Amino acid sequence: MLKKQAFFDALEAARKPQHGGGHPFSRLWAQGALSREQLGRYAVQHYYYIAPIPQQFAALYARLPDLDARQHLLENLLGEEMPETPEKRHPDLLIKFAEACGLTRDDVVNAALRDEILPTTRAMRAWIWELSTIRHLAESAAGIMVALEGQLPTLYPAYVKAMRKMGFSEDDMEFFHVHIEGDEEHAHIGLELTDRYATSEALQERAIAAVRASASLRWSMLDGIQAALVVPKAA
């Protein structure tokens, strides 16, 4: 088995080749080369991906054997749902951003009913359900917390900087701010939990593979979004 720090390094290295910040769509966003309309349509896809995360976290919570792990995930879950300030729920913050881009709540929430959700977006959402419900806990922690939450603190600041220049307000961008602030800690705890549950060399390998799979699926999701939103505009 890998020693703890070597395992952490391997998990983070598995995320790097397909880190979302390197995707052409992300680079266009960071350069301020995307329109409000394109960003709003991105938000439609991203909303479909993240809307069930509270339920997914609840499913994973029920599987965790350790109190401290459950407490961490419960804190994360409550941060998503915000029961005392429901207007601050993360999915609703994303709707607020989409509205700042010119879309309506119906445009976002009911996109699936109009068959506007891309297959790559559906695959991303299905993978999180798989990690939450049936994969080994080492894979779950690695694939969700390390691979995905671990990207956002380094991904979203470039988005925010570009959007400020486009005239978005800090309130418009609240969805991005809350993830920059919270997900660095979530990723660190994800490393610790992955190490806790990866109790064999085989499980370490599966956890590393889960990071690669999550990063790859999110990259594919961005591929789909770019093909749908950017290429037609360029044509």
Side-chain angles (χ1 to χ4, degrees), residues 163-182:
M163 289 189 292
R164 283 196 184 108
K165 294 178 181 178
M166 295 174 66
F168 285 96
S169 71
E170 301 306 312
D171 186 59
D172 293 337
M173 299 184 292
E174 188 175 3
F175 173 82
F176 302 94
H177 288 310
V178 297
H179 287 89
I180 293 169
E181 294 164 3

Side-chain angles (χ1 to χ4, degrees), residues 44 47 56 74 104 126 166 168 180 204 207 212 234:
V44 170
Y47 177 86
Q56 291 164 343
L74 181 60
T104 67
M166 295 174 66
F168 285 96
I180 293 169
Q204 286 185 335
R212 286 197 298 267

